[in-house]
Tab-separated table of all heavy atoms in Angstrom:
chain	number	residue	atom	x	y	z
A	228	ARG	N	26.329	89.390	-31.935
A	228	ARG	CA	26.415	88.217	-32.830
A	228	ARG	C	26.616	86.913	-32.065
A	228	ARG	O	26.512	85.831	-32.638
A	228	ARG	CB	27.570	88.418	-33.827
A	228	ARG	CG	27.280	89.437	-34.919
A	228	ARG	CD	28.255	89.273	-36.083
A	228	ARG	NE	29.634	89.524	-35.675
A	228	ARG	CZ	30.222	90.719	-35.727
A	228	ARG	NH1	29.541	91.774	-36.175
A	228	ARG	NH2	31.475	90.858	-35.350
A	229	ILE	N	26.880	87.014	-30.762
A	229	ILE	CA	27.041	85.796	-29.948
A	229	ILE	C	25.667	85.134	-29.788
A	229	ILE	O	24.703	85.783	-29.348
A	229	ILE	CB	27.643	86.142	-28.569
A	229	ILE	CG1	29.047	86.741	-28.739
A	229	ILE	CG2	27.706	84.906	-27.675
A	229	ILE	CD1	29.661	87.260	-27.450
A	230	PRO	N	25.533	83.874	-30.125
A	230	PRO	CA	24.202	83.229	-30.139
A	230	PRO	C	23.552	83.085	-28.769
A	230	PRO	O	22.342	83.267	-28.627
A	230	PRO	CB	24.478	81.863	-30.778
A	230	PRO	CG	25.952	81.632	-30.591
A	230	PRO	CD	26.590	82.966	-30.615
A	231	SER	N	24.319	82.746	-27.733
A	231	SER	CA	23.716	82.473	-26.424
A	231	SER	C	23.646	83.737	-25.566
A	231	SER	O	24.542	84.599	-25.616
A	231	SER	CB	24.511	81.399	-25.681
A	231	SER	OG	25.792	81.895	-25.324
A	232	ALA	N	22.585	83.840	-24.765
A	232	ALA	CA	22.417	84.989	-23.863
A	232	ALA	C	23.507	85.002	-22.797
A	232	ALA	O	24.008	86.065	-22.411
A	232	ALA	CB	21.041	84.930	-23.198
A	233	GLU	N	23.893	83.809	-22.329
A	233	GLU	CA	24.949	83.701	-21.325
A	233	GLU	C	26.284	84.190	-21.881
A	233	GLU	O	27.054	84.877	-21.192
A	233	GLU	CB	25.080	82.241	-20.864
A	233	GLU	CG	26.059	82.026	-19.713
A	233	GLU	CD	25.659	82.739	-18.432
A	233	GLU	OE1	24.439	82.924	-18.208
A	233	GLU	OE2	26.567	83.101	-17.664
A	234	GLY	N	26.541	83.843	-23.146
A	234	GLY	CA	27.773	84.280	-23.798
A	234	GLY	C	27.812	85.785	-23.977
A	234	GLY	O	28.856	86.419	-23.775
A	235	ARG	N	26.670	86.359	-24.346
A	235	ARG	CA	26.592	87.827	-24.507
A	235	ARG	C	26.814	88.530	-23.173
A	235	ARG	O	27.523	89.538	-23.099
A	235	ARG	CB	25.235	88.225	-25.098
A	235	ARG	CG	25.068	87.856	-26.553
A	235	ARG	CD	23.872	88.557	-27.175
A	235	ARG	NE	22.618	88.140	-26.555
A	235	ARG	CZ	21.879	87.111	-26.973
A	235	ARG	NH1	22.298	86.392	-28.021
A	235	ARG	NH2	20.749	86.788	-26.373
A	236	LYS	N	26.199	87.970	-22.125
A	236	LYS	CA	26.343	88.561	-20.789
A	236	LYS	C	27.790	88.508	-20.317
A	236	LYS	O	28.325	89.495	-19.768
A	236	LYS	CB	25.439	87.818	-19.798
A	236	LYS	CG	25.452	88.400	-18.394
A	236	LYS	CD	24.531	87.619	-17.471
A	236	LYS	CE	24.594	88.170	-16.048
A	236	LYS	NZ	23.724	87.389	-15.122
A	237	LYS	N	28.451	87.376	-20.539
A	237	LYS	CA	29.838	87.217	-20.114
A	237	LYS	C	30.757	88.161	-20.879
A	237	LYS	O	31.660	88.779	-20.301
A	237	LYS	CB	30.275	85.761	-20.333
A	237	LYS	CG	31.658	85.463	-19.787
A	237	LYS	CD	32.007	84.001	-19.974
A	237	LYS	CE	33.412	83.711	-19.431
A	237	LYS	NZ	33.767	82.270	-19.618
A	238	ALA	N	30.515	88.305	-22.184
A	238	ALA	CA	31.344	89.190	-23.006
A	238	ALA	C	31.166	90.648	-22.583
A	238	ALA	O	32.146	91.398	-22.470
A	238	ALA	CB	30.986	89.019	-24.484
A	239	PHE	N	29.919	91.035	-22.326
A	239	PHE	CA	29.662	92.425	-21.947
A	239	PHE	C	30.247	92.736	-20.567
A	239	PHE	O	30.706	93.858	-20.315
A	239	PHE	CB	28.161	92.714	-21.947
A	239	PHE	CG	27.825	94.147	-21.633
A	239	PHE	CD1	28.046	95.152	-22.566
A	239	PHE	CD2	27.297	94.503	-20.394
A	239	PHE	CE1	27.756	96.470	-22.277
A	239	PHE	CE2	27.002	95.820	-20.097
A	239	PHE	CZ	27.227	96.805	-21.045
A	240	SER	N	30.231	91.745	-19.683
A	240	SER	CA	30.742	91.973	-18.326
A	240	SER	C	32.232	92.293	-18.321
A	240	SER	O	32.728	92.958	-17.417
A	240	SER	CB	30.477	90.756	-17.438
A	240	SER	OG	31.248	89.647	-17.866
A	241	THR	N	32.966	91.830	-19.349
A	241	THR	CA	34.405	92.088	-19.396
A	241	THR	C	34.737	93.537	-19.749
A	241	THR	O	35.858	93.980	-19.531
A	241	THR	CB	35.096	91.163	-20.428
A	241	THR	OG1	34.601	91.465	-21.735
A	241	THR	CG2	34.850	89.708	-20.096
A	242	CYS	N	33.755	94.248	-20.329
A	242	CYS	CA	34.024	95.646	-20.708
A	242	CYS	C	33.084	96.645	-20.028
A	242	CYS	O	33.235	97.848	-20.217
A	242	CYS	CB	33.951	95.814	-22.222
A	242	CYS	SG	32.363	95.387	-22.947
A	243	SER	N	32.128	96.159	-19.242
A	243	SER	CA	31.152	97.070	-18.627
A	243	SER	C	31.796	98.024	-17.628
A	243	SER	O	31.405	99.196	-17.535
A	243	SER	CB	30.039	96.268	-17.950
A	243	SER	OG	30.568	95.431	-16.938
A	244	ALA	N	32.786	97.545	-16.872
A	244	ALA	CA	33.449	98.405	-15.886
A	244	ALA	C	34.185	99.542	-16.578
A	244	ALA	O	34.089	100.714	-16.170
A	244	ALA	CB	34.415	97.592	-15.029
A	245	HIS	N	34.919	99.200	-17.639
A	245	HIS	CA	35.648	100.245	-18.385
A	245	HIS	C	34.682	101.242	-19.004
A	245	HIS	O	34.914	102.456	-18.960
A	245	HIS	CB	36.506	99.607	-19.483
A	245	HIS	CG	37.150	100.613	-20.395
A	245	HIS	ND1	36.671	100.877	-21.659
A	245	HIS	CD2	38.216	101.438	-20.207
A	245	HIS	CE1	37.431	101.812	-22.215
A	245	HIS	NE2	38.359	102.167	-21.357
A	246	LEU	N	33.587	100.753	-19.570
A	246	LEU	CA	32.591	101.632	-20.186
A	246	LEU	C	31.986	102.574	-19.147
A	246	LEU	O	31.780	103.769	-19.423
A	246	LEU	CB	31.492	100.793	-20.851
A	246	LEU	CG	30.430	101.559	-21.648
A	246	LEU	CD1	31.071	102.373	-22.764
A	246	LEU	CD2	29.409	100.596	-22.223
A	247	THR	N	31.716	102.065	-17.944
A	247	THR	CA	31.178	102.896	-16.865
A	247	THR	C	32.160	103.987	-16.466
A	247	THR	O	31.783	105.150	-16.281
A	247	THR	CB	30.840	102.033	-15.631
A	247	THR	OG1	29.961	100.974	-16.023
A	247	THR	CG2	30.178	102.852	-14.542
A	248	VAL	N	33.442	103.631	-16.342
A	248	VAL	CA	34.478	104.613	-15.986
A	248	VAL	C	34.583	105.687	-17.059
A	248	VAL	O	34.708	106.886	-16.759
A	248	VAL	CB	35.839	103.904	-15.790
A	248	VAL	CG1	36.979	104.920	-15.712
A	248	VAL	CG2	35.818	103.063	-14.519
A	249	VAL	N	34.519	105.290	-18.331
A	249	VAL	CA	34.583	106.247	-19.446
A	249	VAL	C	33.415	107.229	-19.389
A	249	VAL	O	33.596	108.443	-19.548
A	249	VAL	CB	34.592	105.497	-20.799
A	249	VAL	CG1	34.324	106.454	-21.960
A	249	VAL	CG2	35.928	104.802	-21.003
A	250	VAL	N	32.210	106.710	-19.159
A	250	VAL	CA	31.020	107.566	-19.091
A	250	VAL	C	31.129	108.554	-17.938
A	250	VAL	O	30.831	109.751	-18.096
A	250	VAL	CB	29.740	106.701	-18.959
A	250	VAL	CG1	28.531	107.576	-18.653
A	250	VAL	CG2	29.504	105.913	-20.239
A	251	VAL	N	31.581	108.089	-16.766
A	251	VAL	CA	31.728	108.976	-15.603
A	251	VAL	C	32.790	110.043	-15.872
A	251	VAL	O	32.580	111.226	-15.615
A	251	VAL	CB	32.102	108.154	-14.341
A	251	VAL	CG1	32.484	109.080	-13.187
A	251	VAL	CG2	30.941	107.255	-13.929
Side-chain angles (χ1 to χ4, degrees):
R228 286 197 297 269
I229 297 173
S231 68
E233 186 63 30
R235 289 194 296 270
K236 183 180 178 182
K237 186 177 179 180
F239 183 73
S240 67
T241 64
C242 60
S243 60
H245 173 257
L246 185 59
T247 305
V248 168
V249 167
V250 170
V251 171

